[in-house]
Amino acid sequence: MMSSAERTHLGRALCIITGASRGFGRATALDLSRIVQPGSVLVLVARSEGDLRALQAELFESEAGKAGVTVRVVVADVGEVRGLEDVVKASKEAFSPDMEHMILVNNAASLGDVSRLTKSFTDMAEVDSYLSLNISSALCLTARVLQAFPQRAGLRRTVVNITSLCAIQPFRSWVLYCTGKAGREMMFRVLAEEEPDVRVLNYSPGPLDTAMQREVRAKTADPELKESFASMFTHGQLLTCEESCAKMMKLLLEDSYTSGAHVDVFEL
Ligand SMILES: NC(=O)c1ccc[n+]([C@@H]2O[C@H](COP(=O)([O-])OP(=O)(O)OC[C@H]3O[C@@H](n4cnc5c(N)ncnc54)[C@H](OP(=O)(O)O)[C@@H]3O)[C@@H](O)[C@H]2O)c1
């Protein structure tokens, strides 16, 4: 049997990735396709069908696609119950009994309104809607997936949460984002305590050059914070999704992280 130190692949796997249409989720799909075995299926979830189909076509033409890794596209809003149902249904259909690994990557998230300070958030419906997409949906999707693929001999189960420094450090004018990331990370820490057979990774990918970062630079209310992100961009200090994702793949292959721990890209 292969030891974790020697592992070069994640086995024949079902990989469910939310927010796969762009940014870090897209990079995760491409990277995972290269380290799973033929017969694996990637279930790619987001609302933008065109972007998901383009990624599906790219993967089909890739080495992994030619070797027998296939893609299932699920056009879904993970903030809606119907979206979660569609993801689980497609995942069950894509699963085959000879699969050795089930990997769920909870990547989809939103920044929330960063143009205002905490004292302006008087509208409960607005706050509930943010927390519903960024905490409740990740919890309920993870629970549904773990129920759909229960513990059994020969099946590894890995759940990844894409977290942030904002889960552990407050940033002015980012109350929704920081609160969401903190709550979501704690949820996965509890899961790790409860389910010792499930490998739970809270991966903090660092400041990434994505659409979310453009929103940060355009809308952040706090002037110092806004300036610091503008400066990181100008000085080329943002990470590419590819470089951060490569480090996450290494973590998954080595499989030696403490389940539930917050692992930051800059520690690696
Ligand atoms: N960018 C950074 O600097 C940074 C830093 C630390 C952590 N992170 C975290 O990294 C992850 C990826 O961020 P990113 O920068 O790649 O963000 P991004 O470019 O904004 O991409 C977000 C992804 O989530 C999907 N998504 C958003 N709302 C959704 C919904 N309701 N239903 C389904 N899919 C939804 C989007 O797809 P559709 O719009 O097509 O639905 C998109 O694929 C997030 O969890 C983020 O918090 C980012």
Side-chain angles (χ1 to χ4, degrees):
M1 194 171 150
M2 200 179 267
S3 80
S4 57
E6 298 161 335
R7 207 173 262 147
T8 55
H9 61 76
L10 297 174
R12 199 173 308 109
L14 174 73
C15 306
I16 307 162
I17 306 159
T18 66
S21 60
R22 60 171 188 263
F24 192 74
R26 188 177 195 283
T28 300
L30 287 164
D31 271 2
L32 278 177
S33 76
R34 300 182 187 110
I35 58 168
V36 293
Q37 293 287 86
S40 297
V41 182
L42 306 186
V43 176
L44 306 182
V45 185
R47 294 164 302 177
S48 309
E49 181 168 10
D51 291 339
L52 289 178
R53 295 275 173 219
L55 178 57
Q56 182 180 35
E58 187 177 330
L59 282 162
F60 184 73
E61 293 297 336
S62 70
E63 290 296 313
K66 287 179 185 143
V69 173
T70 57
V71 169
R72 181 83 194 248
V73 160
V74 183
V75 181
D77 183 338
V78 294
E80 305 280 339
V81 174
R82 175 73 197 274
L84 302 188
E85 288 167 354
D86 290 348
V87 176
V88 173
K89 183 168 177 284
S91 302
K92 280 176 148 172
E93 286 167 6
F95 189 75
S96 67
D98 62 350
M99 284 180 172
E100 305 155 309
H101 202 164
M102 189 287 296
I103 304 169
L104 167 63
V105 184
N106 288 283
N107 167 77
S110 63
L111 184 62
D113 189 350
V114 291
S115 71
R116 296 145 54 200
L117 299 184
T118 305
K119 64 187 175 193
S120 76
F121 286 89
T122 51
D123 179 357
M124 267 179 77
E126 180 189 9
V127 176
D128 285 349
S129 156
Y130 182 83
L131 297 179
S132 176
L133 170 61
N134 289 282
I135 301 182
S136 313
S137 86
L139 169 54
C140 297
L141 178 63
T142 302
R144 283 166 188 247
V145 166
L146 290 176
Q147 282 190 20
F149 305 104
Q151 180 178 12
R152 72 153 166 78
L155 181 67
R156 295 168 63 197
R157 298 186 297 166
T158 302
V159 175
V160 180
N161 172 39
I162 304 305
T163 187
S164 163
L165 181 60
C166 297
I168 51 178
Q169 188 178 316
F171 287 85
R172 286 183 209 135
S173 67
W174 290 11
V175 66
L176 291 181
Y177 191 71
C178 291
T179 304
K181 285 299 189 197
R184 179 159 153 163
E185 184 165 313
M186 180 52 82
M187 183 222 117
F188 286 99
R189 288 176 61 190
V190 172
L191 177 69
E193 292 290 326
E194 290 176 349
E195 307 290 338
D197 78 293
V198 178
R199 300 283 292 139
V200 181
L201 173 64
N202 279 304
Y203 180 67
S204 179
L208 304 170
D209 192 4
T210 64
M212 192 179 277
Q213 271 290 330
R214 284 198 291 280
E215 208 180 333
V216 161
R217 290 194 297 278
K219 298 189 182 154
T220 295
D222 184 72
E224 268 176 48
L225 192 60
K226 187 173 187 172
E227 175 47 35
S228 79
F229 279 102
S231 161
M232 267 193 242
F233 175 69
T234 322
H235 293 98
Q237 289 164 340
L238 296 176
L239 303 179
T240 64
C241 291
E242 290 69 27
E243 59 190 313
S244 181
C245 197
K247 295 201 172 176
M248 185 170 89
M249 295 302 123
K250 198 159 175 284
L251 279 172
L252 292 175
L253 285 170
E254 288 174 356
D255 200 30
S256 56
Y257 57 87
T258 302
S259 192
H262 174 108
V263 183
D264 191 284
V265 64
F266 293 117
E267 293 165 24
L268 301 171

